[in-house]
Amino acid sequence: MSSAPATYLVTGACGFIGSNFVHYLLDRVPGSTVVALDNLSFAANEANLDAVRDRIRFVVGDICDFEGMAGLYRRLRPDYVVNFAAESHNDRAVVDPSSFARTNALGAQTLLEVSRREPVRRHLHVSTIEVYGELAEGAPYFTEASPLNAKTPYSAAKAAGDQFVRAYMQTYREMDIAMTHCANNFGRFQFPEKLIPLMITNVLRGRKVPVYGDGLQLRDWLHVDDHCGAILAILHGPRPEVPAAAALDPGLLPIWDVSSRNERTNLEIVHAVLGLLGKRPEEWIEHVPDRPNHDRRYLIEPAKLESRLGWRPQVPFAEGLEATVRWYVDHRAWWEAILARTGELAFDWSAGARATRSGS
Ligand SMILES: NC(=O)c1ccc[n+]([C@@H]2O[C@H](COP(=O)([O-])OP(=O)(O)OC[C@H]3O[C@@H](n4cnc5c(N)ncnc54)[C@H](O)[C@@H]3O)[C@@H](O)[C@H]2O)c1
C-alpha cells in the first residue's frame, strides 16, 4: 500500500502517543492531510500540537459520538483512521473504571462502526500489551496468539475494545482493520502522571520519587518514535488476509505486537533517570504502597512485525531515555502548565483502592 499523501484521521491526538504520531506523520509523509481529533479529556494537552497547528485540521470530538464522527467522516473523507483515543492511566482506572469502559470499549466499537458505514482505506486500532495480563516468571513472552487475560480495570476496558476489533475483522470482511499491542512507551509529551515524567518533574521540583512497593515490577519499554514508526509501517503495509483459520488462531489476524524486547524493572528505570539527573537514588527514592492488583511482569514478542514488515526499533534505550530526560528538563513550562491545571498527579494507595491523589 502506498505512502502517497492521503487524509489521516488521528483520534486522541492531544495525548502522548497521538500527538507524537501527528508530528511523525507530518515529517515522514509530507503533504498529508492530518485531521487531529480529541475530546480534551483529563490527559489531553493541546500544547502538544502547537508546533504543527497551522499544518493540521484540529477537531474537538468524541469517538463515542456516532453521529458526530459519521458527519466528520462524510465531510473530511479520511483514507486512514488511527484510533489512539483512550483513557490510559491505570491508577485512575482503579478509582473510576466507568469512564474507561466508555471510551476504551464502547468508543472503540463506535469508531469501528463509523468506519464500516463510511468506508475508509484502513482502520488501525491502537491497543496495549496489558490486555494479555500478567506474564509468569520465566515465561518467555506474549505473542499475537496469546489469550486476552486482562486483570485491571484499564486493561479490561482495552481488552473489551480488542474483542470488538477482532469480531469486526472476522465479521465484516470488506473492511481493512489492523490492531497493534505495544509495550510501555516513553518520550516527550507524556502526561506527568506516568512513571518517567512523574519522576523527572518531581526531582526538578525538589521532591522525592515515589516507587510502588518493591519496584521490581518488570515492564517492556519502547521509545514512542519506534511505536509511531511501527504504526506507519502497518498502515501502509499490504492488505492482510483474514483466513478462516483465524477463528481458532488469533495469531493469523492482522494484529501486530510492538516491542524492542527491552525488559526492565521499575527500579532500574528510576535509577537510570536519577543517574541522568545527577541524583543519588538512596536520597531521592521513597517506597510507597503499591497500587492494588499491580501487574508484576509483561513482555511481548515483535517477531511477526519484524519478519512480515521489516520493522526494527531505531532508538537505543539509553539514548532515548537521555533525550527524554533532557526534553523534560528543557521544557519546564510545558509540564508546569499541566501541573498548574491538574494539581499534584501522584496517587496515594495507602488507603487501598478508594485512595485518590496524594494530598487530595
Ligand atoms: N502510553 C503507553 O505506554 C501505551 C503503550 C501501549 C499502548 N498504548 C495505547 O495507546 C493509546 C494512546 O495512549 P497515550 O499514552 O497516548 O494516552 P493519553 O492518555 O496520553 O492520550 C489519550 C488521548 O485520548 C483522548 N480521549 C480520551 N477519550 C476520548 C474520546 N472519547 N474521544 C476522543 N478522544 C478521547 C484524551 O483526551 C487524550 O488526549 C491508548 O489506546 C493506549 O492504550 C499506550
Side-chain angles (χ1 to χ4, degrees):
M1 199 168 281
S2 92
S3 57
T7 297
Y8 297 79
L9 170 62
V10 180
T11 67
C14 290
F16 164 44
I17 309 175
S19 62
N20 273 287
F21 183 71
V22 168
H23 286 258
Y24 192 91
L25 187 56
L26 291 167
D27 272 0
R28 306 299 159 111
V29 194
S32 309
T33 301
V34 178
V35 180
L37 177 132
D38 204 288
N39 74 343
L40 301 182
S41 69
F42 187 71
N45 188 7
E46 280 190 67
N48 296 357
L49 298 175
D50 278 354
V52 292
R53 201 59 189 248
D54 56 350
R55 297 166 62 199
I56 59 172
R57 182 147 185 178
F58 179 65
V59 181
V60 177
D62 187 332
I63 63 162
C64 303
D65 169 12
F66 177 86
E67 291 303 335
M69 294 305 300
L72 180 131
Y73 275 47
R74 284 194 289 270
R75 272 196 322 281
L76 302 175
R77 287 283 161 221
D79 298 295
Y80 299 103
V81 174
V82 188
N83 182 24
F84 294 98
E87 293 298 336
S88 73
H89 192 39
N90 251 310
D91 282 353
R92 194 194 316 277
V94 174
V95 177
D96 175 23
S98 302
S99 60
F100 285 70
R102 179 182 180 275
T103 288
N104 300 1
L106 183 62
Q109 183 274 327
T110 303
L111 200 63
L112 283 163
E113 187 58 17
V114 179
S115 290
R116 182 167 86 88
R117 303 291 180 103
E118 305 290 340
V120 297
R121 216 181 284 177
R122 182 162 289 170
H123 179 118
L124 192 152
H125 179 81
V126 178
S127 189
T128 170
I129 186 172
E130 291 176 63
V131 297
Y132 295 126
E134 184 152 319
L135 190 64
E137 214 179 309
Y141 38 66
F142 295 117
T143 72
E144 292 86 354
S146 300
L148 303 188
N149 189 26
K151 67 174 243 202
T152 69
Y154 164 65
S155 51
K158 288 295 293 184
D162 267 46
Q163 294 286 29
F164 275 112
V165 174
R166 289 160 190 250
Y168 269 68
M169 283 172 174
Q170 295 177 84
T171 307
Y172 306 111
R173 302 296 178 114
E174 70 281 13
M175 292 181 76
D176 183 334
I177 305 170
M179 174 159 67
T180 57
H181 293 128
C182 191
N184 276 21
N185 284 213
F186 67 99
R188 66 177 175 167
F189 299 142
Q190 189 167 27
F191 201 63
E193 67 186 346
K194 301 285 178 82
L195 178 66
I196 292 177
L198 177 75
M199 258 190 281
I200 303 169
T201 55
N202 264 18
V203 171
L204 293 178
R205 292 179 302 147
R207 294 167 187 234
K208 288 197 171 186
V209 171
V211 171
Y212 283 164
D214 58 12
L216 299 181
Q217 305 87 353
L218 276 159
R219 295 288 179 270
D220 182 1
W221 290 95
L222 181 79
H223 191 272
V224 65
D225 283 350
D226 282 329
H227 188 185
C228 293
I231 287 173
L232 206 54
I234 294 163
L235 217 48
H236 294 159
R239 182 176 177 128
E241 295 280 307
V242 180
L248 297 175
D249 179 1
L252 298 173
L253 290 170
I255 297 175
W256 307 90
D257 287 354
V258 189
S259 157
S260 60
R261 304 184 180 87
N262 178 33
E263 195 178 27
R264 315 262 165 164
T265 64
N266 284 348
L267 208 53
E268 277 177 90
I269 299 287
V270 174
H271 278 243
V273 169
L274 287 173
L276 288 164
L277 290 168
K279 304 292 184 199
R280 291 157 59 90
E282 55 280 18
E283 287 168 16
W284 287 83
I285 289 177
E286 178 185 22
H287 287 271
V288 298
D290 204 351
R291 176 172 74 224
N293 191 24
H294 198 177
D295 287 313
R296 269 318 258 187
R297 178 177 183 230
Y298 43 72
L299 177 71
I300 42 173
E301 170 56 39
K304 179 172 162 184
L305 187 58
E306 292 172 341
S307 63
R308 305 262 183 93
L309 296 183
W311 174 85
R312 294 282 183 284
Q314 304 294 317
V315 184
F317 178 68
E319 272 176 38
L321 193 63
E322 189 180 348
T324 300
V325 171
R326 203 176 326 114
W327 190 86
Y328 289 94
V329 170
D330 291 346
H331 292 80
R332 194 171 178 120
W334 177 90
W335 54 263
E336 279 185 344
I338 296 175
L339 295 180
R341 168 169 65 86
T342 62
E344 287 307 309
L345 286 165
F347 274 72
D348 174 1
W349 294 110
S350 51
R354 278 171 297 126
T356 53
R357 299 187 181 293
S358 38
S360 64

